[in-house]
Amino acid sequence: MTKPFVVREYIFTFIFWLVFAIVLWCNFQINTEKYLAMFQSLIITISSFTFTHFLTTKLLPKALRLKKMKRFLIQATLLILLLSLVYSVIFTYLEVAPKTTLPSNISGHLPILWQGFYMALPASFLINGSACGIKFYKEHGRIERDHILLQQAHLENQLKLLQDQINPHLVFNILNHIHILMKTDTPLAGFLLMKFSDILRYQLYHCNQPLVPLDKEIEYLQNLVDVEKLRWGNELDVKAFWKIDNKKTNIAPLLLVPFIENAFKYVCRLPGHKGYIIISCKEKNETLSFYVENSYSDITVYKKKDGIGGIGLQNVKKRLKLQYPGSHELKIESDNLVYKVSLTLHLSEQNDPYYS
C-alpha cells in the first residue's frame, strides 16, 4: 500500500467522523444546551470510532485471513450490542431530554436504559455495518490483488524455470566439436565459433524478456540449425525454410528450440542410413506455422533415457499452456520411423502474452 493512498485513507476517515460529530451536535442542541450537546456528541463519536475501528482493523482482517467469518459475526454482534448499551447510558444519564426526570434508585433506571438500548440498536448496527462493509470491500480487494501478484510471481518463476531447462547438452557438444576443428580445420572452427557466440549472446542478453521479436528468434534458430549442419556435415540431410511477413510480431523466447534440439538429438544416424530433418517456419497474418520432421530409429531412441518427447517437449507443452492458452495447436505424430511436430501459434504485437 503506497504512502499517498494511506494518507488519503486517513483524511477520508477523519472527515467522516468529523461530519458524524457535527451532525450529532446539530441534532442534540435542539433539545439540549450547546456545550452539553457538544460533550454528548464528542463521547458518542469517540466511542463509535473506538468500537468500529477495533471491529474493522483488528477483528475483520483477522477473520478474513483465517477464514473464520462465523466467529467474526458473533464478535460483531456482541460489539454492536455493547455499543448500543453505551449509547443508552449516554442518552439516559447525560440528559438528552432534560425535561425527563430520572428515578432516584438504580432499578428505576432500567426501563429507561432498556428503551434507550432498544432505540440505539439501529444506529449502532448501521454505523458498524457500514464500516464493516467498506472495510470488507477494501480487504477483499487487497486480498484479490495480493493473490493476483502471487500468481504472477509464481507464473514468472515457473516460466523462468522452464526456460532455463533448455537442454545444455548442445552447448557442450558444440564446444567439443570446435575443439576438434581447431586441430583439423581452423577456418571452419572460427566460423562455427562466431555462430556459437551469436547463439550465446542471444540467450544471455535477449531471452530475459517475456517477449522477443519473432525475426530475432528466427535468426537465433537459423544460427542453431547452421551450427548443427556444420557439426554433422554429410551425415545428415537438413532442409530448412523460413518466411516471416510481419517482423513486428513477438514470441516467447526459446519456445521453439526444444523441437529443433529433439530433431537433431533423435535423428537416425545408423551406418548405411542417412537421416534427414525438415524444418519449416512461416508467419502470416500474425499466425506462426512451425513444422519439424525427422527420421529416427528405435535403436537410437532406446539408447536415450528420456526417449522422444522427453523432458524438453514436456517443458514446451507447459510453456504453451501457460503463455498461449487457447491460442495454439500442437500436433505430434510418430509413424513409420518418422517423427513429425506441427505447431500453429497465434501471435500478436502485444507486449505480454500471459499477463493480459
Side-chain angles (χ1 to χ4, degrees), residues 2 35 39 85 95 122 188 231 234-235 314:
T2 60
Y35 294 105
F39 183 60
L85 181 61
E95 296 181 334
L188 183 59
R231 284 183 60 217
N234 294 327
E235 294 184 31
Q314 294 302 319

Side-chain angles (χ1 to χ4, degrees), residues 68-342:
K68 295 183 177 181
M69 294 304 296
K70 290 183 179 179
R71 186 175 69 178
F72 170 75
L73 291 176
I74 297 175
Q75 294 170 337
T77 302
L78 294 176
L79 281 178
I80 290 174
L81 294 176
L82 186 58
L83 183 59
S84 300
L85 181 61
V86 172
Y87 287 165
S88 178
V89 172
I90 294 172
F91 293 152
T92 301
Y93 292 100
L94 291 183
E95 296 181 334
V96 174
K99 296 181 181 180
T100 303
T101 302
L102 294 175
S104 57
N105 59 333
I106 297 177
S107 60
H109 297 181
L110 293 179
I112 301 176
L113 283 171
W114 173 251
Q115 183 180 4
F117 175 79
Y118 179 76
M119 294 177 63
L121 270 177
S124 178
F125 178 80
L126 181 62
I127 293 172
N128 286 278
S130 300
C132 287
I134 295 173
K135 188 65 177 180
F136 179 82
Y137 177 77
K138 291 167 59 178
E139 284 294 317
H140 185 267
R142 183 187 62 81
I143 292 173
E144 286 294 322
R145 288 194 299 270
D146 291 345
H147 182 66
I148 291 173
L149 291 175
L150 183 63
Q151 281 187 323
Q152 180 174 330
H154 176 71
L155 179 59
E156 289 176 347
N157 292 334
Q158 190 173 3
L159 290 175
K160 186 67 171 61
L161 178 63
L162 293 174
Q163 185 171 302
D164 290 342
Q165 288 178 349
I166 301 301
N167 201 328
H169 82 280
L170 177 64
V171 174
F172 297 111
N173 287 342
I174 293 176
L175 289 175
N176 184 56
H177 194 68
I178 292 175
H179 175 71
I180 295 174
L181 287 176
M182 293 288 290
K183 301 177 181 178
T184 58
D185 194 336
T186 304
L188 183 59
F191 179 76
L192 187 60
L193 185 61
M194 290 297 295
K195 287 284 186 180
F196 185 56
S197 65
D198 290 338
I199 291 174
L200 292 182
R201 187 180 300 109
Y202 178 80
Q203 288 186 347
L204 290 174
Y205 298 111
H206 296 279
C207 294
N208 57 349
Q209 301 295 325
L211 287 173
V212 294
L214 180 60
D215 60 336
K216 296 295 183 182
E217 180 76 5
I218 297 304
E219 182 181 349
Y220 165 77
L221 296 178
Q222 287 175 326
N223 289 332
L224 191 62
V225 173
D226 289 342
V227 166
E228 289 285 21
K229 289 171 66 175
L230 289 173
R231 284 183 60 217
W232 299 109
N234 294 327
E235 294 184 31
L236 295 177
D237 183 15
V238 181
K239 297 179 180 180
F241 308 93
W242 317 90
K243 185 179 180 182
I244 303 174
D245 290 344
N246 186 2
K247 294 184 178 181
K248 294 183 179 181
T249 305
N250 297 318
I251 190 173
L254 306 179
L255 186 65
L256 307 176
V257 175
F259 298 121
I260 295 179
E261 282 192 349
N262 266 26
F264 282 98
K265 183 178 181 180
Y266 296 107
V267 67
C268 178
R269 299 192 187 96
L270 295 178
H273 294 82
K274 187 175 183 179
Y276 76 91
I277 296 175
I278 299 175
I279 301 172
S280 175
C281 185
K282 300 178 181 180
E283 183 277 330
K284 186 175 183 180
N285 297 327
E286 298 183 351
T287 298
L288 180 70
S289 299
F290 184 75
Y291 176 81
V292 178
E293 177 183 328
N294 66 276
S295 60
Y296 73 93
S297 66
D298 293 330
I299 298 177
T300 305
V301 174
Y302 179 76
K303 291 181 180 179
K304 308 293 182 179
K305 293 183 179 181
D306 51 349
I308 291 183
I311 297 176
L313 287 186
Q314 294 302 319
N315 286 342
V316 76
K317 287 179 180 178
K318 291 179 181 178
R319 290 188 64 188
L320 286 169
K321 184 178 180 180
L322 289 170
Q323 294 177 285
Y324 294 94
S327 59
H328 75 277
E329 183 180 350
L330 178 63
K331 186 177 180 181
I332 299 177
E333 299 175 296
S334 178
D335 186 31
N336 296 326
L337 299 181
V338 175
Y339 196 74
K340 300 177 182 179
V341 176
S342 300

